[in-house]
Amino acid sequence: MVKAVKGTFIECDPAAREVLLRLNSEEKFIIEDLDSTHLFINSTHLERVQRALDELMDANTYKASNLPS
Amino acid sequence: MAEPLESDSSLLVVVLDANVGAWARSPLALDKALQQVVIFLNAYLALNTENRLVVLGATARECRFLHPSSSRAPEAADIQVYEQFRAADVRVLAGVAALVDGAGPDQAQAQAQAQAPSLISRALSMALCHISRVNALLTNKAWARVLVVSAGADSAREYISLMNSIFAAQKASVLIDVCKVLGADSVFLQQAADITGGNYVRVDVDAGESLLQTLMFTCLPDHYTRGILNAPYNQLIDFRATCFCHKRVVDIGYVCSVCLSIFCRTAPVCSTCHTKFSFRIVGPGARDGSSPNGTQNTNNPQNGSQSSTTGTPSAAMSSLNLG
Amino acid sequence: MAPPGNEPGNDEDYIDIDDTGPDGLKGADGGYTWEEEYKRSWDVIQEDASGSIQSSVAGISEQRKRKRRVRDTEVVQRGIIRHVVVVVDQSESMAVRDLAPSRIHAALVELEAFVGEFFDQNPISQLSIVATKDGLAEVLTELSGNPMDHVGALRDKANKDLAGEPSLQNALELAMHGLRRAPSHGLREIICVVGSLTTCDPGDIGQTLQALRHAEVRVSMVHLAAEVHVFRQICSETGGQLAVPLDADGLRDALMAMVPPPALSASRGTSDMVLMGFPVKSVAAAVPTPCACHHELTFAGHVCPRCRAKVCSLPTDCDVCGLPLVSAPHLARSYRHLFPEENFVEIPPAATAARACYGCGMDWADPQKPQPARDAPKPAAGGSRYQCPACRHVFCLDCDIFIHETLHNCPGCA
Amino acid sequence: MAVQMGSEEEFKTTIAEYLESLPTQFCRRVFSSPAACLAIFRLLSTVGKQLIMSMLYLDAGLRTQDVLQCAKTEQQRMVKAKIAQLRRLQLVVEERGCVSLNPIFREQLRNALTGGGDFGSFGIPYAGPRDKRVTTAWLARHARERWEAILHFMVGRSATGAATVGEAPAAPLSRSVRDILRMSRLMEGGEGGMTITNSGFQFLLQDAASQVWTVLLQYLRLAEAQDMDVVEVLNFMFQLVGLKLGRAYSTEALTPHQRKMLSELRDFGLVYQDEHDPHRFYPTHLITSLTSGTRSSGAARDGAPAQSELTLSSDRGYIILETNCRVYAYTDSPLQIAILNLFMDMASRFANLITGMITRTSVRRALLRGITADQIITFLCTNAHPQMQVRVPVLPVTVTDQIRLWERERDRLRPTNAHFYKDFAQPQEFERMFRYAQEIGVILWANTEKHQLVVTRQGHAKIVELVKNHRALRLRFSCRQR
């Protein structure tokens, strides 16, 4: 019988998806991994995930040390 | 600034022909006309608080900055009128009054002045000086234009200076609008408007046309708006020259190769710069120009004397004693 | 310093102390600029008491302006009607990139500006363009008074392909041949823009030089590389001038310096009456009619008074009957060259009672005086006053410069 | 400049929208004062102004067709739009293909130009002896202090401001100011700890004029809430706009409401009134310069000495931005520094100059506060140093692009609330539901092989319907079988 799940549908680039999968390994929130650019996740985690992704991205950007003028 | 933007402020220099003599002949009294012009000025100021306004008064004798002027506007508080307007209005009205009175005292001279046309070319020159100066001071240049409210006729004496002003204006992309209130069309001012891309309108008061309405409709739009609206239809303008010797309008003329004076007939000597011509008419197909006959030789000198007396371009040029 | 006459026109923005004119290779003390020791423009800027350099900068700019305002104004007969052949070097040497993007490119761009300005100031003159490459010379445009033809020719892509060496002699001969049919009253000039240090000529260029002098052709050159003896000689002997611009601006200035009509030498030949037509602007017709110049259907146009042919723009020569067509304003445009304004004399501020500049109507620089009105802009730059000897009215420096460089008539005398 | 004009347009339309929202009889009363008409007129677009002026002294209406004919063919659509806008503002009436001015508006605008109309529409000057102390310069300083005190109050409460800018003058703000700040959602929280909101940060980045407009609009809403007479408020507002800077005006003729309003606007520094003599008040440039274009030409003004002081410190261009993201700001105002601090890293500070750098982190900080990249760019553009203003584009493209990129990289995920269907019993069931969802266009994602389907929330409701009555059908069918 057909199953209908309530949640949040996420459209993203493959890189972001990988990050989400990794986050998912720590704490499950992905309901279904649809394809390389789409995920279906638990709405309650959306906030946290976004923040986590943002921080991760921030942590993984490297810039030349901006010396004061 | 190649393209005028909507936010650009503009600078309007109004040249008021306050020639009593000329206005006396007009169906529209000077003060009436003045009131309408003042309303127009207010309308202009109302468009944009950044708008700058300069008013020049011109009579046959002098030409003066009415607004802004060093003379303080009387502080008499008129609660009815918007402050910004009042300062301008008061100055303009007072200034014109002063100009007119200035012509008053000695009637004989006033009469003499009344016949002579106003010094429009001088006013234009001053306007352009002011504009160039203001734009030198401003960081974001204001789009300048000149409005000539003219009542008098052309004076050939002004031709050269007027033309110089026109070309200077054209160089500085200053529009020259002309509102001819009475009298015949002014060929010079038509050319001014045409060359600088301004509008030339003639208000026929007898036919019930309103000066104010014409001003509002034709002369109010700034550079930006003119890019959007169609220019009013300008009737064809006569760019033909008048010969210096007989003041005839010529469509084929003989031009002195040195000083560019225009003649309707061949002459051995240029009456303006006294250059001797070689006896052949240059210019393709000018077979007709044979050697001049005696009559032209004889009438040439008097030709010169005549031109030196009458106020004509040639007179102006010879008075500038060309070497 | 270079003679004031040849000051570059557009150096407003930067303060340039050792200011070299078009042919300004000669430095201040007659020696060449590269022989003088290097002048740094900031050396002359001193801080004032408050430690600000503004006053000093203002001073410098004003002094530079003042330097500019002294002009030669003695009334000379000028050759209003000129016939000019522009020779463009299209040899490989023009491919050098010392002028961005390349010599030929820069030259063509500047020449285009030159053509426009030329016809603006010499409305009844004629121009022709000759190109030289591979030791040959070819005519790009015949003598004509229509700027569009020449601009079109200059924009032609074909100009960009360069080949071989230029032949100055061939070019000059060709130009002279073109000038032969120019009427004697007109002034005959050749302006060469050359990038090559060499010229490959079929014969003795000395004879060409003699021919040029005999034909009263004055040859001026703009050399993009360096001064070459033979070029210099040709210029000096024919009464022209040789300019070696240092950069793109210099090139422009050098060309622009040739725009105003040159003074006539007394020994010049006859002056004539020239037959000219003053066409009437035809009213916008109901149906478009073909114009004689481009053979395109147009509504408006100017009708030749002799043959009734319709041309699009003035000034030009009627394409049908060859009558020079001008409008009265075009002639008027040239008057200013005939009657230059007299120089104003500088007078001490105390000497005049006038409260404001007569031209712009603005108060003099006078800190303690309050501004008359909110919309009366800043006081005139500097304290200096300049008086017109004719009408005795007093002007500020900016108006003085504006009057003499743009307006060409004194508001007081008008 | 273009960006800045955009902002100008924006705030102008907001006030315009407010006017449009007014019912007709209100408009009539608003138009009954020349001052109001003039002020409204000034808010119009250039073309709109021209249209009105050309019709002002025509008693008969113009045929719309003719009006359009005046414009070049490619511009006619635009002109048409302008006319429509004027009609929405009830400035012009259009019937039987003829446009003509709203008679009341026409009459009063004429009065504004010729100086007629009701007595003292442009304020009644104070007759008494003038106060030596109050000069335009003094007013300017007063207004600036008041206004910046408010902005400071907001920034001071923000995480950053207080820290870096220790010497923030903690000016006590009056109740009404706080009310308005809270009402307009610029700040939130109780009396004790009011904290600035994201819209508050955005507010900080606007130019002074827009800020004043925002406040005034809020004030109107507040007035509505306290059921004051909106028209009265509006008219008084427009009257203030039309007053002359540096002149004393009498409060005699004012209604109680207007006096109240006056006292409240005083707290914003829009007008000045000496507590000791309530009989006169002075408008400040904050309000008198409202209807002039927001292009704050502090530098461009005629250089009359007072002029430079008339502009808010934020109005004069003082920021220099280099292509390498370095920022040099010629300012000593703690407020300016605090605002700059919202989106750049301070490097060093001198007497009248601070230097800093726009970095990814600093921009991130701003973005996290809900400040958009465009707002940052607009702010820099508005306050660019005169020497930068002359260049096109005003700001180096490299920097603006980079800021936009930084903004973009933060939204990697595009989430949508949805329902996910899987494990369909038999393919045709999926097919049917798929087709139905397609018809009503609610499919976000579908995989026909794995028979999976994602639809939007509202789509789900419909589909449930479908399933329900379909099941009902089948049920009845099976019963009949038996």
Side-chain angles (χ1 to χ4, degrees), chain D residues 313-354:
Chain D
S313 56
S314 68
D315 282 8
R316 234 172 297 118
Y318 61 98
I319 298 177
I320 292 180
L321 173 61
E322 292 182 341
T323 48
N324 59 3
C325 296
R326 286 258 169 76
V327 178
Y328 303 88
Y330 290 91
T331 177
D332 51 359
S333 125
L335 174 64
Q336 295 307 325
I337 300 175
I339 293 179
L340 283 172
N341 211 350
L342 290 177
F343 58 85
M344 62 178 262
D345 290 337
M346 295 299 164
S348 50
R349 174 168 182 185
F350 306 98
N352 67 339
L353 166 73
I354 61 168

Side-chain angles (χ1 to χ4, degrees), chain B residues 49 52-53 63 65 67-70 72 91 119 121-122 125-130 132-134 137 159-165 167-168 170-171 191 194-195 233 236-241 244 250-263 265-267 273 275-278 280-286 288 317 320-323, chain C residues 75-78 80-81 117 120-121 124 183-185 270-281 283 305-306 308 321-324 327-336 338-339 355-363 370-381 393 396 398-399 402-403 406-414:
Chain B
T49 38
R52 281 191 187 65
L53 174 68
C63 172
F65 281 96
H67 168 82
S69 72
S70 311
R72 296 196 155 282
R91 282 219 197 80
L119 302 164
S121 73
R122 173 179 298 195
S125 315
M126 289 167 82
L128 291 170
C129 283
H130 186 88
S132 77
R133 222 27 199 87
V134 171
L137 290 175
Y159 182 69
I160 298 176
S161 51
L162 199 58
M163 280 302 168
N164 285 336
S165 313
F167 296 129
Q170 186 187 23
K171 232 185 177 67
Q191 296 187 358
D194 186 79
I195 293 174
Y233 169 68
L236 97 116
I237 291 162
D238 191 356
F239 276 124
R240 282 179 304 172
F244 292 5
V250 294
D251 45 16
I252 299 185
Y254 302 98
V255 175
C256 164
S257 70
V258 177
C259 68
L260 300 182
S261 324
I262 305 159
F263 303 97
R265 281 190 277 169
T266 55
C273 63
T275 315
K276 299 226 174 348
F277 296 134
S278 66
R280 57 188 182 78
I281 305 309
V282 184
D288 49 342
M317 296 164 83
L320 282 153
N321 59 40
L322 186 66
Chain C
V75 182
V76 291
Q77 289 200 359
R78 292 180 177 275
I80 298 294
I81 305 179
E117 191 63 14
D120 181 48
Q121 292 206 25
I124 50 180
S184 63
H185 60 80
T270 60
S271 46
D272 304 304
M273 278 194 151
V274 190
L275 191 66
M276 286 192 186
F278 302 93
V280 180
K281 202 180 200 173
V283 198
R306 185 156 68 189
R308 302 273 163 242
C321 64
L323 182 71
S327 67
H330 285 117
L331 295 183
R333 208 180 267 272
S334 306
Y335 289 153
R336 64 161 182 253
L338 301 167
F339 322 110
R355 303 184 53 253
C357 161
Y358 187 79
C360 58
M362 298 185 199
D363 289 19
Q371 284 302 311
R374 184 206 150 279
D375 42 2
K378 266 213 215 88
H393 284 297
C396 63
D398 301 271
C399 286
F402 176 72
I403 287 168
T406 319
L407 189 55
H408 300 293
N409 65 351
C410 163
C413 313

Side-chain angles (χ1 to χ4, degrees), chain D residues 355-376:
Chain D
T355 70
M357 193 137 179
I358 293 182
T359 64
R360 182 170 181 283
T361 43
S362 67
V363 172
R364 262 178 61 82
R365 205 167 57 225
L367 294 174
L368 285 171
R369 291 221 181 77
I371 300 175
T372 67
D374 282 338
Q375 283 168 330
I376 297 179

Side-chain angles (χ1 to χ4, degrees), chain D residues 263-281:
Chain D
S263 64
E264 287 168 348
L265 291 182
R266 190 183 60 206
D267 302 329
F268 283 95
L270 299 185
V271 298
Y272 167 73
Q273 191 172 19
D274 191 347
E275 289 73 5
H276 304 312
D277 68 343
H279 301 300
R280 66 174 138 187
F281 69 95

Side-chain angles (χ1 to χ4, degrees), chain C residues 16-51:
Chain C
D16 183 357
I17 299 311
D18 49 357
D19 203 350
T20 57
D23 57 355
L25 285 168
K26 294 287 185 182
D29 40 16
Y32 287 100
T33 41
W34 56 83
E35 292 168 351
E36 304 170 2
E37 109 261 21
Y38 181 55
K39 291 209 208 76
R40 289 161 305 178
S41 54
W42 56 85
D43 284 347
V44 295
I45 299 178
Q46 287 93 11
E47 293 188 352
D48 60 13
S50 65

Side-chain angles (χ1 to χ4, degrees), chain D residues 107-276:
Chain D
E107 185 190 346
Q108 294 306 330
L109 187 55
R110 282 186 186 178
N111 284 335
L113 292 189
T114 53
D118 69 336
F119 184 72
S121 145
F122 289 96
I124 301 170
Y126 180 64
R130 50 178 305 134
D131 186 342
K132 293 281 165 294
R133 184 174 48 96
V134 182
T135 64
T136 49
W138 186 87
L139 279 174
R141 220 173 307 115
H142 171 79
R144 195 185 315 145
E145 281 161 9
R146 278 301 176 93
W147 192 253
E148 290 187 353
I150 296 173
L151 300 185
H152 236 299
F153 176 77
M154 299 171 65
V155 182
R157 291 290 194 283
S158 79
T160 65
T164 54
V165 193
E167 61 283 281
L173 293 187
S174 73
R175 223 192 127 58
S176 60
V177 176
R178 293 160 182 241
D179 289 347
I180 288 189
L181 287 182
R182 205 181 290 106
M183 263 201 63
S184 52
R185 307 257 181 302
L186 295 178
M187 302 185 78
E188 60 199 1
E191 275 313 311
M194 284 175 70
T195 55
I196 184 166
T197 62
N198 287 346
S199 54
F201 283 119
Q202 304 178 359
F203 176 81
L204 286 178
L205 293 189
Q206 289 173 328
D207 53 84
S210 328
Q211 290 172 337
V212 175
W213 272 120
T214 323
V215 168
L216 287 182
L217 280 170
Q218 279 311 322
Y219 190 88
L220 280 169
R221 306 233 164 76
L222 190 66
E224 275 172 351
Q226 302 167 344
D227 52 40
M228 284 166 70
D229 176 1
V230 184
V231 175
E232 194 178 352
V233 177
L234 260 177
N235 276 344
F236 188 55
M237 212 179 266
F238 286 135
Q239 175 177 344
L240 288 177
V241 170
L243 293 184
K244 173 141 192 288
L245 186 59
R247 164 170 295 179
Y249 288 90
S250 151
T251 57
E252 297 307 331
L254 299 187
T255 66
H257 274 151
Q258 291 174 329
R259 288 167 197 268
K260 176 168 177 297
M261 188 172 165
L262 202 59
S263 64
E264 287 168 348
L265 291 182
R266 190 183 60 206
D267 302 329
F268 283 95
L270 299 185
V271 298
Y272 167 73
Q273 191 172 19
D274 191 347
E275 289 73 5
H276 304 312

Side-chain angles (χ1 to χ4, degrees), chain C residues 110-129:
Chain C
E110 295 303 339
L111 275 175
E112 208 175 303
F114 169 78
V115 170
E117 191 63 14
F118 177 85
F119 282 105
D120 181 48
Q121 292 206 25
N122 311 282
I124 50 180
S125 302
Q126 294 195 319
L127 200 74
S128 156
I129 302 180

